[in-house]
Amino acid sequence: MAEHSVDVPCDDFAAFQEALKTLRVIDDKIIYALNTTVPTQSFSGQVDAAATCKGLYGELSAAHRHREGAIKKCMLGTSQSVAELRAQKAKDPDNFEVIKNLRAEQLKLRTMQSEVNIEEVIRERSLKVFQERCRNHYRPPKST
């Protein structure tokens, strides 16, 4: 279900957000996935709910790690770009092109930092729904 093969571009913020949106499909469809894979009480004997929950948790965890790594990678690259532009600005404080590029990179970095907060909210929501449906079948490891 997860799209782990999506490459997250860092240079174009719109493409960055679109890639994250694609990678967040598993979180967007978690309720549907749980409803179709985790049995209700009356069908609990027909499906191995523990294995199903464990597999779904593995997919969720992998998707979260992949997105977190992609966001951090892009933030690191953008931070380095900001540092380089600051150094250029220090050498030539009147260069309008450098100032313009620095502001654009700083804005991109701030927006990427907000994606970290968005990611945290999405992760908490998905794990809460997962816990509600799978708490009787599978207990994930403590380090989430």
Side-chain angles (χ1 to χ4, degrees), residues 9 36 65 85 127:
T36 58
R65 282 190 307 272
L85 287 166
L127 291 176

Side-chain angles (χ1 to χ4, degrees), residues 43-88:
F43 291 104
S44 61
Q46 299 174 5
V47 177
D48 185 359
T52 302
C53 286
K54 184 177 182 177
L56 188 55
Y57 181 78
E59 284 186 53
L60 270 174
S61 294
H64 293 161
R65 282 190 307 272
H66 181 71
R67 290 195 312 260
E68 184 179 338
I71 292 169
K72 285 181 179 180
K73 179 189 85 165
C74 288
M75 284 179 60
L76 179 63
T78 305
S79 294
Q80 291 171 344
S81 178
V82 166
E84 291 168 8
L85 287 166
R86 281 187 178 145
Q88 289 178 16

Side-chain angles (χ1 to χ4, degrees), residues 15-48:
F16 170 80
Q17 284 188 312
E18 191 62 35
L20 287 178
K21 181 181 173 186
T22 301
L23 290 170
R24 288 175 175 150
V25 167
I26 188 171
D27 290 275
D28 293 339
K29 298 185 181 198
I30 185 74
I31 293 171
Y32 175 77
L34 286 166
N35 286 341
T36 58
T37 59
V38 177
T40 58
Q41 198 68 29
S42 58
F43 291 104
S44 61
Q46 299 174 5
V47 177
D48 185 359

Side-chain angles (χ1 to χ4, degrees), residues 121-138:
V121 169
I122 290 171
R123 177 182 294 203
E124 286 175 7
R125 184 197 67 160
S126 295
L127 291 176
K128 179 182 177 198
V129 170
F130 176 85
Q131 179 64 24
E132 288 171 358
R133 286 299 308 270
C134 287
R135 70 176 168 257
N136 295 328
H137 308 292
Y138 175 72

